Amino acid sequence: MELIYNKQNNFKVLQLTDLHIGSKPHHEDNLKTFQLIDDAFSKLNPDLAIITGDLIWSDGVPQSDVIFKELLERFNKYDVPVAITYGNHDSEDEFSRGEIRALEKYLKNAVTKKHSFIVEDRECYAIEVYDRNDSKALKHVLYVMDSGADAPLPVGNYEWIHPEQVNWYRRTAAHYAKYNLKNNAIFMHIPIPEYKEASKSILSGECNETNDTISAPYINTGLFANVFIQGDVKAFFAGHDHDNNFVGEHHGIRLIYGQVGGYQCYGDLERGARIITLQDESIETHTLTASQFSYEFSK
């Protein structure tokens, strides 16, 4: 689907993260999460939804493929393009990354992926957003990067962005350099190590994780450094840490958490979503709890 600015001359992205749908027949917490998804799509009126990982529980959960397809059917109820990247819990048991990606064929309004690149069974791709008055005028590029799962070496707990993924970003950003875009964004599940620095300069939101305030990989492969040098990305958006929803800043780039959406997982934050508004010269964002969705719609 082609993505264009709406009549208000902006573009609204709905970030849902850490939905953690699992078990069948469905636990009552799953039903609450399904209701949150319905309300987010119907009341927040997004131009695009990006799901930043941990859509389901897969470890020890029978019929994970059926559960995942049921979740996709929830998205299919709405005429909204959907982009997905995966988290550390999406492919723990029955699924490989490739097998769960193959099920995206059941997604009715799947976003058009540009410059798709797969390494170690993890996909990166770009999403293009255009001016509503000129279908050839590119306004923003949204980079979607699969940040993996568990650390492949005995260093920390979580996987890091592969060097090949950093090189993919460099190549893809170089392709778009002719458009002179300075207002792009990156979406992933596991935060990069620089989120720890950004947590020292919180502009809004909360940092409440108890054991390790930022559950980032211990290995830094240089994605942030290359983004800083390229100068085209204004913000990162991640999930993963359910009790963090802050907007922080590091060297002028914002590093941002979504708002946990799933009820069948840990976390004291109220469940909700993040709204991201892309404008010509800025990216505006705020979180909403599920109880605030109707208020947002009425504004």
Side-chain angles (χ1 to χ4, degrees), residues 124-184:
C124 300
Y125 59 93
I127 303 169
E128 298 175 351
V129 181
Y130 287 89
D131 190 319
R132 68 186 178 92
N133 295 316
D134 183 351
S135 62
K136 295 182 180 179
L138 187 64
K139 305 282 281 187
H140 306 277
V141 175
L142 307 179
Y143 302 99
V144 180
M145 305 181 74
D146 187 334
S147 55
D150 298 329
L153 297 172
V155 183
N157 294 319
Y158 297 108
E159 200 163 5
W160 41 86
I161 294 294
H162 280 247
E164 292 90 340
Q165 291 176 292
V166 178
N167 288 336
W168 169 84
Y169 163 75
R170 293 176 61 186
R171 292 193 305 271
T172 308
H175 169 82
Y176 290 115
K178 60 188 176 184
Y179 297 99
N180 196 33
L181 303 175
K182 303 297 181 184
N183 211 26
N184 300 330

Short mmCIF file of all heavy atoms in Angstrom, two decimals, residues 124-184:
data_model
loop_
_atom_site.label_atom_id
_atom_site.label_comp_id
_atom_site.label_asym_id
_atom_site.label_seq_id
_atom_site.Cartn_x
_atom_site.Cartn_y
_atom_site.Cartn_z
N CYS A 124 15.59 -6.68 7.55
CA CYS A 124 15.53 -5.22 7.59
C CYS A 124 14.80 -4.75 6.33
O CYS A 124 14.94 -5.36 5.26
CB CYS A 124 16.94 -4.61 7.59
SG CYS A 124 17.98 -5.09 8.97
N TYR A 125 14.05 -3.68 6.45
CA TYR A 125 13.42 -3.10 5.27
C TYR A 125 13.09 -1.64 5.54
O TYR A 125 13.14 -1.17 6.69
CB TYR A 125 12.16 -3.87 4.85
CG TYR A 125 11.06 -3.96 5.88
CD1 TYR A 125 10.03 -3.02 5.92
CD2 TYR A 125 11.02 -5.01 6.80
CE1 TYR A 125 9.01 -3.11 6.85
CE2 TYR A 125 10.00 -5.11 7.73
CZ TYR A 125 9.00 -4.17 7.76
OH TYR A 125 7.99 -4.26 8.68
N ALA A 126 12.79 -0.92 4.46
CA ALA A 126 12.45 0.50 4.55
C ALA A 126 11.00 0.71 4.13
O ALA A 126 10.47 -0.01 3.28
CB ALA A 126 13.38 1.33 3.67
N ILE A 127 10.37 1.70 4.76
CA ILE A 127 9.02 2.12 4.42
C ILE A 127 9.09 3.56 3.92
O ILE A 127 9.70 4.42 4.58
CB ILE A 127 8.09 2.05 5.64
CG1 ILE A 127 8.07 0.64 6.24
CG2 ILE A 127 6.68 2.49 5.28
CD1 ILE A 127 7.39 0.56 7.59
N GLU A 128 8.48 3.83 2.79
CA GLU A 128 8.50 5.17 2.21
C GLU A 128 7.17 5.88 2.44
O GLU A 128 6.10 5.28 2.26
CB GLU A 128 8.79 5.09 0.71
CG GLU A 128 10.15 4.48 0.40
CD GLU A 128 10.39 4.29 -1.10
OE1 GLU A 128 9.42 4.48 -1.89
OE2 GLU A 128 11.51 3.94 -1.48
N VAL A 129 7.24 7.15 2.83
CA VAL A 129 6.05 7.97 3.05
C VAL A 129 6.13 9.18 2.12
O VAL A 129 7.14 9.89 2.11
CB VAL A 129 5.96 8.44 4.51
CG1 VAL A 129 4.71 9.29 4.73
CG2 VAL A 129 5.98 7.25 5.47
N TYR A 130 5.05 9.41 1.37
CA TYR A 130 5.05 10.43 0.32
C TYR A 130 4.12 11.60 0.62
O TYR A 130 3.17 11.48 1.40
CB TYR A 130 4.64 9.80 -1.01
CG TYR A 130 5.72 8.92 -1.61
CD1 TYR A 130 5.78 7.57 -1.29
CD2 TYR A 130 6.68 9.45 -2.47
CE1 TYR A 130 6.78 6.76 -1.82
CE2 TYR A 130 7.67 8.65 -3.01
CZ TYR A 130 7.72 7.31 -2.69
OH TYR A 130 8.71 6.51 -3.20
N ASP A 131 4.37 12.71 -0.05
CA ASP A 131 3.53 13.89 0.01
C ASP A 131 2.18 13.59 -0.66
O ASP A 131 2.15 13.01 -1.75
CB ASP A 131 4.23 15.04 -0.73
CG ASP A 131 3.57 16.39 -0.53
OD1 ASP A 131 2.32 16.44 -0.54
OD2 ASP A 131 4.29 17.38 -0.37
N ARG A 132 1.08 13.96 -0.02
CA ARG A 132 -0.24 13.67 -0.59
C ARG A 132 -0.51 14.47 -1.86
O ARG A 132 -1.37 14.10 -2.66
CB ARG A 132 -1.34 13.93 0.43
CG ARG A 132 -1.55 15.38 0.82
CD ARG A 132 -2.57 15.48 1.95
NE ARG A 132 -2.77 16.85 2.38
CZ ARG A 132 -3.69 17.66 1.90
NH1 ARG A 132 -4.52 17.22 0.96
NH2 ARG A 132 -3.82 18.90 2.34
N ASN A 133 0.20 15.58 -2.05
CA ASN A 133 -0.01 16.41 -3.24
C ASN A 133 0.94 16.07 -4.38
O ASN A 133 0.80 16.59 -5.48
CB ASN A 133 0.14 17.89 -2.88
CG ASN A 133 -0.93 18.35 -1.92
OD1 ASN A 133 -2.10 18.02 -2.09
ND2 ASN A 133 -0.53 19.10 -0.90
N ASP A 134 1.92 15.22 -4.10
CA ASP A 134 2.89 14.87 -5.13
C ASP A 134 3.39 13.46 -4.82
O ASP A 134 4.23 13.26 -3.94
CB ASP A 134 4.06 15.86 -5.12
CG ASP A 134 5.07 15.58 -6.23
OD1 ASP A 134 4.95 14.54 -6.90
OD2 ASP A 134 5.99 16.40 -6.42
N SER A 135 2.87 12.49 -5.55
CA SER A 135 3.18 11.08 -5.26
C SER A 135 4.65 10.73 -5.48
O SER A 135 5.09 9.65 -5.11
CB SER A 135 2.30 10.18 -6.13
OG SER A 135 2.57 10.39 -7.51
N LYS A 136 5.41 11.64 -6.09
CA LYS A 136 6.84 11.39 -6.30
C LYS A 136 7.71 12.09 -5.26
O LYS A 136 8.93 11.92 -5.27
CB LYS A 136 7.23 11.85 -7.70
CG LYS A 136 6.57 11.04 -8.83
CD LYS A 136 7.04 11.51 -10.20
CE LYS A 136 6.37 10.69 -11.30
NZ LYS A 136 6.80 11.14 -12.66
N ALA A 137 7.07 12.87 -4.39
CA ALA A 137 7.83 13.64 -3.39
C ALA A 137 7.94 12.82 -2.11
O ALA A 137 6.99 12.73 -1.32
CB ALA A 137 7.15 14.97 -3.12
N LEU A 138 9.09 12.22 -1.90
CA LEU A 138 9.32 11.41 -0.71
C LEU A 138 9.52 12.32 0.50
O LEU A 138 10.31 13.27 0.46
CB LEU A 138 10.56 10.54 -0.92
CG LEU A 138 10.87 9.49 0.14
CD1 LEU A 138 9.77 8.46 0.22
CD2 LEU A 138 12.22 8.82 -0.15
N LYS A 139 8.79 12.02 1.58
CA LYS A 139 8.85 12.85 2.79
C LYS A 139 9.68 12.23 3.90
O LYS A 139 10.41 12.92 4.61
CB LYS A 139 7.42 13.10 3.31
CG LYS A 139 6.47 13.70 2.30
CD LYS A 139 6.69 15.17 2.12
CE LYS A 139 6.08 15.97 3.22
NZ LYS A 139 6.14 17.43 2.97
N HIS A 140 9.51 10.91 4.10
CA HIS A 140 10.19 10.23 5.19
C HIS A 140 10.53 8.80 4.77
O HIS A 140 9.82 8.19 3.97
CB HIS A 140 9.31 10.13 6.45
CG HIS A 140 8.77 11.43 6.92
ND1 HIS A 140 9.47 12.29 7.72
CD2 HIS A 140 7.56 12.01 6.71
CE1 HIS A 140 8.73 13.36 7.98
NE2 HIS A 140 7.57 13.21 7.36
N VAL A 141 11.58 8.28 5.38
CA VAL A 141 11.90 6.86 5.30
C VAL A 141 11.90 6.31 6.72
O VAL A 141 12.54 6.88 7.61
CB VAL A 141 13.26 6.61 4.63
CG1 VAL A 141 13.61 5.13 4.66
CG2 VAL A 141 13.27 7.12 3.20
N LEU A 142 11.17 5.22 6.92
CA LEU A 142 11.14 4.53 8.21
C LEU A 142 11.90 3.22 8.05
O LEU A 142 11.50 2.36 7.26
CB LEU A 142 9.70 4.28 8.64
CG LEU A 142 8.79 5.52 8.64
CD1 LEU A 142 7.37 5.12 9.07
CD2 LEU A 142 9.34 6.61 9.53
N TYR A 143 12.99 3.08 8.77
CA TYR A 143 13.80 1.87 8.71
C TYR A 143 13.31 0.88 9.78
O TYR A 143 13.20 1.24 10.95
CB TYR A 143 15.27 2.19 8.98
CG TYR A 143 15.89 3.19 8.04
CD1 TYR A 143 16.02 4.53 8.40
CD2 TYR A 143 16.37 2.80 6.79
CE1 TYR A 143 16.62 5.45 7.55
CE2 TYR A 143 16.97 3.71 5.93
CZ TYR A 143 17.09 5.05 6.31
OH TYR A 143 17.68 5.96 5.47
N VAL A 144 13.01 -0.34 9.38
CA VAL A 144 12.54 -1.37 10.30
C VAL A 144 13.61 -2.46 10.36
O VAL A 144 14.01 -3.01 9.33
CB VAL A 144 11.20 -1.97 9.83
CG1 VAL A 144 10.72 -3.04 10.79
CG2 VAL A 144 10.15 -0.86 9.70
N MET A 145 14.10 -2.76 11.58
CA MET A 145 15.24 -3.66 11.73
C MET A 145 14.93 -4.72 12.78
O MET A 145 14.57 -4.39 13.91
CB MET A 145 16.49 -2.87 12.12
CG MET A 145 16.83 -1.73 11.17
SD MET A 145 18.32 -0.81 11.61
CE MET A 145 19.59 -2.00 11.13
N ASP A 146 15.08 -5.99 12.42
CA ASP A 146 14.90 -7.09 13.36
C ASP A 146 16.14 -7.17 14.25
O ASP A 146 17.23 -7.48 13.78
CB ASP A 146 14.69 -8.39 12.58
CG ASP A 146 14.33 -9.56 13.48
OD1 ASP A 146 14.70 -9.54 14.67
OD2 ASP A 146 13.70 -10.52 12.99
N SER A 147 15.94 -6.91 15.54
CA SER A 147 17.07 -6.85 16.47
C SER A 147 17.40 -8.20 17.11
O SER A 147 18.28 -8.28 17.96
CB SER A 147 16.78 -5.81 17.57
OG SER A 147 15.55 -6.09 18.21
N GLY A 148 16.70 -9.28 16.73
CA GLY A 148 17.07 -10.61 17.16
C GLY A 148 16.47 -11.04 18.47
O GLY A 148 15.44 -10.53 18.91
N ALA A 149 17.16 -11.97 19.13
CA ALA A 149 16.61 -12.58 20.35
C ALA A 149 17.70 -12.70 21.40
O ALA A 149 18.17 -11.70 21.92
CB ALA A 149 16.00 -13.94 20.00
N ASP A 150 18.14 -13.91 21.69
CA ASP A 150 19.14 -14.12 22.73
C ASP A 150 20.55 -13.93 22.18
O ASP A 150 20.81 -14.18 21.00
CB ASP A 150 19.02 -15.54 23.31
CG ASP A 150 17.67 -15.76 23.97
OD1 ASP A 150 17.12 -14.79 24.51
OD2 ASP A 150 17.18 -16.91 23.94
N ALA A 151 21.47 -13.53 23.05
CA ALA A 151 22.85 -13.32 22.65
C ALA A 151 23.44 -14.62 22.09
O ALA A 151 23.35 -15.67 22.73
CB ALA A 151 23.67 -12.82 23.82
N PRO A 152 24.05 -14.59 20.90
CA PRO A 152 24.61 -15.81 20.31
C PRO A 152 25.96 -16.21 20.92
O PRO A 152 26.45 -17.30 20.65
CB PRO A 152 24.76 -15.43 18.83
CG PRO A 152 24.95 -13.95 18.84
CD PRO A 152 24.15 -13.43 19.99
N LEU A 153 26.54 -15.33 21.70
CA LEU A 153 27.79 -15.59 22.41
C LEU A 153 27.57 -15.29 23.88
O LEU A 153 26.64 -14.54 24.23
CB LEU A 153 28.91 -14.70 21.84
CG LEU A 153 29.28 -14.92 20.36
CD1 LEU A 153 30.26 -13.85 19.90
CD2 LEU A 153 29.88 -16.32 20.16
N PRO A 154 28.39 -15.83 24.77
CA PRO A 154 28.16 -15.61 26.21
C PRO A 154 28.57 -14.21 26.67
O PRO A 154 29.45 -14.04 27.52
CB PRO A 154 29.02 -16.70 26.86
CG PRO A 154 30.12 -16.94 25.88
CD PRO A 154 29.51 -16.77 24.52
N VAL A 155 27.91 -13.21 26.08
CA VAL A 155 28.16 -11.81 26.42
C VAL A 155 26.81 -11.13 26.58
O VAL A 155 26.14 -10.81 25.60
CB VAL A 155 28.99 -11.09 25.33
CG1 VAL A 155 29.29 -9.66 25.75
CG2 VAL A 155 30.28 -11.84 25.03
N GLY A 156 26.36 -10.92 27.81
CA GLY A 156 25.06 -10.33 28.03
C GLY A 156 23.93 -11.28 27.71
O GLY A 156 24.13 -12.48 27.46
N ASN A 157 22.72 -10.77 27.72
CA ASN A 157 21.53 -11.61 27.52
C ASN A 157 20.94 -11.53 26.12
O ASN A 157 20.33 -12.49 25.65
CB ASN A 157 20.45 -11.21 28.53
CG ASN A 157 20.85 -11.50 29.96
OD1 ASN A 157 21.43 -12.53 30.25
ND2 ASN A 157 20.54 -10.57 30.86
N TYR A 158 21.09 -10.38 25.45
CA TYR A 158 20.33 -10.15 24.22
C TYR A 158 21.24 -9.93 23.02
O TYR A 158 22.38 -9.46 23.14
CB TYR A 158 19.39 -8.95 24.41
CG TYR A 158 18.38 -9.22 25.49
CD1 TYR A 158 18.45 -8.58 26.73
CD2 TYR A 158 17.36 -10.16 25.30
CE1 TYR A 158 17.53 -8.85 27.73
CE2 TYR A 158 16.44 -10.43 26.29
CZ TYR A 158 16.53 -9.78 27.51
OH TYR A 158 15.64 -10.06 28.49
N GLU A 159 20.67 -10.26 21.87
CA GLU A 159 21.40 -10.17 20.61
C GLU A 159 21.61 -8.71 20.22
O GLU A 159 20.90 -7.82 20.65
CB GLU A 159 20.62 -10.91 19.53
CG GLU A 159 21.45 -11.31 18.33
CD GLU A 159 20.78 -12.38 17.48
OE1 GLU A 159 19.64 -12.76 17.78
OE2 GLU A 159 21.42 -12.82 16.52
N TRP A 160 22.61 -8.51 19.40
CA TRP A 160 22.95 -7.17 18.94
C TRP A 160 22.66 -7.04 17.44
O TRP A 160 22.52 -8.03 16.72
CB TRP A 160 24.43 -6.89 19.21
CG TRP A 160 25.32 -8.07 18.90
CD1 TRP A 160 25.87 -8.43 17.71
CD2 TRP A 160 25.74 -9.07 19.84
NE1 TRP A 160 26.60 -9.58 17.83
CE2 TRP A 160 26.54 -10.00 19.13
CE3 TRP A 160 25.52 -9.27 21.21
CZ2 TRP A 160 27.13 -11.11 19.74
CZ3 TRP A 160 26.10 -10.38 21.81
CH2 TRP A 160 26.89 -11.27 21.09
N ILE A 161 22.54 -5.81 17.01
CA ILE A 161 22.42 -5.55 15.57
C ILE A 161 23.67 -6.07 14.88
O ILE A 161 24.80 -5.74 15.27
CB ILE A 161 22.24 -4.04 15.32
CG1 ILE A 161 20.91 -3.55 15.89
CG2 ILE A 161 22.34 -3.72 13.83
CD1 ILE A 161 19.68 -4.11 15.21
N HIS A 162 23.49 -6.89 13.85
CA HIS A 162 24.63 -7.47 13.15
C HIS A 162 25.37 -6.40 12.34
O HIS A 162 24.74 -5.47 11.81
CB HIS A 162 24.16 -8.57 12.21
CG HIS A 162 23.89 -9.87 12.90
ND1 HIS A 162 24.64 -11.01 12.69
CD2 HIS A 162 22.95 -10.22 13.82
CE1 HIS A 162 24.18 -11.99 13.44
NE2 HIS A 162 23.15 -11.53 14.13
N PRO A 163 26.69 -6.53 12.19
CA PRO A 163 27.42 -5.60 11.32
C PRO A 163 26.84 -5.52 9.92
O PRO A 163 26.82 -4.44 9.31
CB PRO A 163 28.84 -6.18 11.32
CG PRO A 163 28.96 -6.89 12.63
CD PRO A 163 27.59 -7.47 12.88
N GLU A 164 26.33 -6.66 9.41
CA GLU A 164 25.72 -6.64 8.07
C GLU A 164 24.46 -5.77 8.05
O GLU A 164 24.14 -5.16 7.02
CB GLU A 164 25.37 -8.06 7.63
CG GLU A 164 26.57 -8.94 7.36
CD GLU A 164 27.02 -9.70 8.61
OE1 GLU A 164 26.66 -9.28 9.74
OE2 GLU A 164 27.73 -10.71 8.45
N GLN A 165 23.75 -5.71 9.16
CA GLN A 165 22.57 -4.84 9.24
C GLN A 165 22.98 -3.36 9.27
O GLN A 165 22.30 -2.51 8.69
CB GLN A 165 21.74 -5.17 10.48
CG GLN A 165 21.06 -6.53 10.41
CD GLN A 165 20.33 -6.85 11.69
OE1 GLN A 165 20.95 -7.07 12.73
NE2 GLN A 165 19.01 -6.89 11.63
N VAL A 166 24.08 -3.07 9.94
CA VAL A 166 24.60 -1.70 9.93
C VAL A 166 24.99 -1.32 8.51
O VAL A 166 24.68 -0.20 8.04
CB VAL A 166 25.80 -1.56 10.88
CG1 VAL A 166 26.36 -0.15 10.83
CG2 VAL A 166 25.41 -1.92 12.32
N ASN A 167 25.64 -2.22 7.81
CA ASN A 167 26.01 -1.95 6.42
C ASN A 167 24.77 -1.77 5.55
O ASN A 167 24.77 -0.94 4.62
CB ASN A 167 26.89 -3.08 5.88
CG ASN A 167 28.28 -3.07 6.48
OD1 ASN A 167 28.77 -2.04 6.95
ND2 ASN A 167 28.94 -4.22 6.48
N TRP A 168 23.72 -2.55 5.83
CA TRP A 168 22.46 -2.36 5.09
C TRP A 168 21.93 -0.95 5.31
O TRP A 168 21.51 -0.28 4.35
CB TRP A 168 21.42 -3.38 5.54
CG TRP A 168 20.04 -3.07 5.01
CD1 TRP A 168 19.54 -3.41 3.79
CD2 TRP A 168 19.02 -2.31 5.67
NE1 TRP A 168 18.25 -2.91 3.64
CE2 TRP A 168 17.91 -2.23 4.79
CE3 TRP A 168 18.91 -1.69 6.91
CZ2 TRP A 168 16.73 -1.57 5.11
CZ3 TRP A 168 17.75 -1.03 7.25
CH2 TRP A 168 16.66 -0.97 6.35
N TYR A 169 21.93 -0.49 6.55
CA TYR A 169 21.48 0.87 6.81
C TYR A 169 22.31 1.87 6.02
O TYR A 169 21.77 2.81 5.40
CB TYR A 169 21.54 1.21 8.30
CG TYR A 169 21.49 2.71 8.52
CD1 TYR A 169 20.29 3.41 8.37
CD2 TYR A 169 22.66 3.43 8.77
CE1 TYR A 169 20.26 4.79 8.48
CE2 TYR A 169 22.62 4.81 8.90
CZ TYR A 169 21.43 5.47 8.75
OH TYR A 169 21.40 6.84 8.85
N ARG A 170 23.62 1.71 6.02
CA ARG A 170 24.49 2.66 5.31
C ARG A 170 24.15 2.68 3.82
O ARG A 170 24.06 3.75 3.22
CB ARG A 170 25.96 2.28 5.52
CG ARG A 170 26.45 2.45 6.95
CD ARG A 170 27.86 1.97 7.12
NE ARG A 170 28.79 2.73 6.28
CZ ARG A 170 30.08 2.42 6.16
NH1 ARG A 170 30.59 1.36 6.79
NH2 ARG A 170 30.87 3.16 5.40
N ARG A 171 23.99 1.50 3.22
CA ARG A 171 23.67 1.43 1.79
C ARG A 171 22.31 2.06 1.51
O ARG A 171 22.14 2.82 0.54
CB ARG A 171 23.66 -0.02 1.31
CG ARG A 171 24.98 -0.73 1.30
CD ARG A 171 24.88 -2.03 0.51
NE ARG A 171 23.83 -2.91 1.00
CZ ARG A 171 23.98 -3.82 1.95
NH1 ARG A 171 25.16 -3.95 2.55
NH2 ARG A 171 22.98 -4.60 2.30
N THR A 172 21.34 1.74 2.34
CA THR A 172 19.98 2.21 2.10
C THR A 172 19.89 3.72 2.33
O THR A 172 19.25 4.44 1.54
CB THR A 172 18.99 1.46 3.01
OG1 THR A 172 19.19 0.05 2.86
CG2 THR A 172 17.56 1.79 2.65
N ALA A 173 20.53 4.21 3.38
CA ALA A 173 20.55 5.65 3.62
C ALA A 173 21.25 6.37 2.47
O ALA A 173 20.83 7.47 2.07
CB ALA A 173 21.23 5.95 4.94
N ALA A 174 22.31 5.78 1.94
CA ALA A 174 23.00 6.38 0.80
C ALA A 174 22.09 6.46 -0.42
O ALA A 174 22.12 7.44 -1.18
CB ALA A 174 24.26 5.59 0.47
N HIS A 175 21.25 5.44 -0.60
CA HIS A 175 20.29 5.46 -1.71
C HIS A 175 19.33 6.64 -1.60
O HIS A 175 18.98 7.27 -2.61
CB HIS A 175 19.50 4.15 -1.73
CG HIS A 175 18.33 4.15 -2.65
ND1 HIS A 175 18.44 3.91 -4.01
CD2 HIS A 175 17.00 4.38 -2.42
CE1 HIS A 175 17.25 3.99 -4.57
NE2 HIS A 175 16.36 4.27 -3.63
N TYR A 176 18.90 6.94 -0.36
CA TYR A 176 17.93 8.02 -0.15
C TYR A 176 18.59 9.38 0.04
O TYR A 176 17.88 10.39 0.19
CB TYR A 176 17.06 7.70 1.06
CG TYR A 176 16.10 6.55 0.84
CD1 TYR A 176 16.22 5.37 1.56
CD2 TYR A 176 15.06 6.66 -0.08
CE1 TYR A 176 15.33 4.32 1.37
CE2 TYR A 176 14.18 5.62 -0.28
CZ TYR A 176 14.31 4.45 0.44
OH TYR A 176 13.43 3.41 0.24
N ALA A 177 19.91 9.45 0.04
CA ALA A 177 20.60 10.71 0.33
C ALA A 177 20.23 11.81 -0.65
O ALA A 177 20.21 13.00 -0.30
CB ALA A 177 22.12 10.49 0.34
N LYS A 178 19.91 11.45 -1.90
CA LYS A 178 19.58 12.46 -2.91
C LYS A 178 18.32 13.24 -2.55
O LYS A 178 18.09 14.35 -3.06
CB LYS A 178 19.41 11.80 -4.27
CG LYS A 178 18.30 10.75 -4.31
CD LYS A 178 18.30 9.98 -5.63
CE LYS A 178 17.25 8.87 -5.62
NZ LYS A 178 17.31 8.07 -6.87
N TYR A 179 17.48 12.71 -1.65
CA TYR A 179 16.26 13.39 -1.24
C TYR A 179 16.51 14.38 -0.10
O TYR A 179 15.61 15.14 0.26
CB TYR A 179 15.20 12.37 -0.82
CG TYR A 179 14.76 11.46 -1.93
CD1 TYR A 179 15.30 10.17 -2.04
CD2 TYR A 179 13.82 11.86 -2.87
CE1 TYR A 179 14.90 9.31 -3.06
CE2 TYR A 179 13.41 11.02 -3.88
CZ TYR A 179 13.96 9.74 -3.98
OH TYR A 179 13.56 8.90 -4.98
N ASN A 180 17.70 14.32 0.47
CA ASN A 180 18.08 15.23 1.56
C ASN A 180 17.08 15.19 2.72
O ASN A 180 16.68 16.23 3.25
CB ASN A 180 18.23 16.67 1.03
CG ASN A 180 18.98 17.56 2.01
OD1 ASN A 180 19.89 17.11 2.73
ND2 ASN A 180 18.62 18.82 2.05
N LEU A 181 16.70 14.01 3.11
CA LEU A 181 15.74 13.83 4.20
C LEU A 181 16.47 13.86 5.55
O LEU A 181 17.52 13.23 5.71
CB LEU A 181 15.01 12.50 4.06
CG LEU A 181 14.25 12.29 2.73
CD1 LEU A 181 13.69 10.88 2.67
CD2 LEU A 181 13.14 13.32 2.57
N LYS A 182 15.91 14.58 6.50
CA LYS A 182 16.53 14.70 7.82
C LYS A 182 15.57 14.33 8.94
O LYS A 182 15.84 14.59 10.11
CB LYS A 182 17.00 16.16 8.04
CG LYS A 182 17.97 16.67 6.99
CD LYS A 182 19.28 15.88 6.98
CE LYS A 182 20.25 16.43 5.95
NZ LYS A 182 21.48 15.60 5.86
N ASN A 183 14.45 13.70 8.58
CA ASN A 183 13.38 13.49 9.54
C ASN A 183 12.87 12.05 9.48
O ASN A 183 11.67 11.80 9.51
CB ASN A 183 12.23 14.46 9.24
CG ASN A 183 11.47 14.87 10.48
OD1 ASN A 183 12.01 14.84 11.58
ND2 ASN A 183 10.22 15.22 10.30
N ASN A 184 13.82 11.11 9.42
CA ASN A 184 13.48 9.70 9.33
C ASN A 184 13.52 9.06 10.72
O ASN A 184 13.90 9.69 11.71
CB ASN A 184 14.45 8.98 8.39
CG ASN A 184 14.42 9.55 6.98
OD1 ASN A 184 13.38 10.05 6.53
ND2 ASN A 184 15.54 9.50 6.29
#
